[in-house]
Amino acid sequence: MPAARISRRRAIQALGGLGLGAMGLLNGGCTFTKGTPPITDVGLDKKPAPGRKTNIEVYSVWGGTVGAGMVKLAALFEKAQPDIGVRVVYAPAGMGGGAVQQKLFTAIAGDNPPDVGQLVPAQAPQWVELGIMTDLTDRYRAAGLGKDDFFAPIWDGIQYKDRVWQMQWDADPNFPFFWNKQLFEDSGLDPDKPPRTLDEVDEYSAKILKKSGANVTKIGMIPWDSYGYSNSLFTWGFGFGAEFYDQEREEVTPDHEYSVKALEWIVKYARSVGGADRVTVTPPGLQLHPFSTGNIGMSPLVAPNYRDIKTNVKDMKIGATLLPFEPPGAKAPGAGAWIGGWGMFIPATARHKDEAWEFMRWAGATDEGTKAQWDTIGFPPGYRKASVLSEIRDDPVMAPFYDVLTTATNIRPPVPVADFYFTQLDEQISNAVLGLSTPLQALRTVKKNVMGEWDRFRKEVQA
């Protein structure tokens, strides 16, 4: 079992180094999923209810409505039981949406950690190896929670080396696939027939494309910008049948045959419209996702973006289906979908672990708590037995995301250098899309750099 091999202070130095060296677009499954950056921190903190036997401290990385929702969720937990009070502290993640949590790292290094912290699931291996997370395996067992209680990708993501380290309360289904029916019709396409394969995406895109001089004013899709370069490759790579990690060999595989084909397709698409820098389909100051402009025919979308478009562009006719795929590596629509999200964890030196676990278990793996989370924050739970899932299934906005949640099989690779891996993908895919390297060169560079960083990390944690 992984154990603390280096001091917490040194661990934080390691994480800080990662932050400086690997700062960039991360994970998001949730970075991007949550979308809107904080505008104000008003209402993002909360004092514990008075008169409780024990008070716990929960860090929340979110601003806006999500941060306010976390405060409301904590208040509902206090109403659900009489003994535990919850202090919510706004502790924003820096650039990268989870990779650089300076307030959290500083608190842990100073031996003053919260009782509950937040993380993107793929980060857990690194944080476990650094000795800053509490093993929750026995607590799961005592609570009667196991593999059958969670969607398969969730269960895969919360484990590391056969132990359980986090409670994933937010299952982020990435992505359903949406198309603009009016733009399809205007382009001579059947508005009720979305593409099933990426070959059909290319075919449809050729009919949708419109240019003004060298600039693109209407485009079928922007496949290099499905919520960042790395998330684009994960999505379309899975859609080709790629694998990004060989668990048995402990080796990242960005140069897998089908991930190379996926990047070749992305680069070819960019060239077919005259270059990524020629896409001018959004007006300045746009607050909604670019798909809302009506100038993009097809796009994966996260739930907040889709909800915003449905709310603000009411006359836009949008179809929803599963992601197109590409045989022979992938076998059916939706093959490219993956589960992101956020988990809660208990820092190794937290003072109130029993009470922290009760809050996490309630929020992530009970009927009452998952319903409360859906009503206050609004993210689909990873708890497969949650009764609120039927409500999500019947929600006209969330129904496409329910379909992905219940069928997706992929997660991004949970390796000890996951943040570095994702940042390398961002850098090298950008180079390939801009014509500065070939797709194969770019992905081989990612593999070389990530394996080098992994070797360095192994030596550091074992020193």
Side-chain angles (χ1 to χ4, degrees), residues 82-207:
D83 297 327
I84 305 171
V86 182
R87 180 188 303 280
V88 177
V89 176
Y90 177 46
M95 184 177 179
V100 189
Q101 296 192 45
Q102 292 182 350
K103 187 178 181 69
L104 173 67
F105 299 160
T106 301
I108 292 174
D111 286 329
N112 187 31
D115 298 297
V116 176
Q118 312 284 344
L119 83 169
V120 172
Q123 292 171 322
Q126 182 183 35
W127 294 15
V128 168
E129 294 290 355
L130 290 171
I132 63 175
M133 294 180 70
T134 298
D135 185 348
L136 302 176
T137 309
D138 292 342
R139 295 181 186 276
Y140 268 78
R141 190 175 296 128
L145 294 171
K147 179 179 180 180
D148 292 341
D149 295 299
F150 299 90
F151 293 106
I154 299 292
W155 184 249
D156 290 344
I158 64 176
Q159 295 186 92
Y160 178 61
K161 294 187 175 177
D162 297 325
R163 310 295 289 181
V164 187
W165 300 91
Q166 57 183 302
M167 174 63 72
Q168 187 168 346
W169 58 274
D170 163 30
D172 186 14
N174 299 312
F175 303 94
F177 187 76
F178 299 90
W179 77 96
N180 181 331
K181 292 190 173 186
Q182 187 61 56
L183 186 52
F184 265 44
E185 189 170 346
D186 294 344
S187 304
L189 297 167
D190 184 341
D192 296 318
K193 185 182 178 184
R196 281 177 49 84
T197 67
L198 293 177
D199 278 347
E200 290 180 349
V201 167
D202 290 341
E203 177 188 336
Y204 290 17
S205 295
K207 294 184 177 180

Side-chain angles (χ1 to χ4, degrees), residues 282-301:
T282 58
L286 180 68
Q287 298 296 311
L288 298 174
H289 187 278
F291 183 69
S292 67
T293 62
N295 295 326
I296 301 173
M298 302 164 279
S299 180
L301 291 174

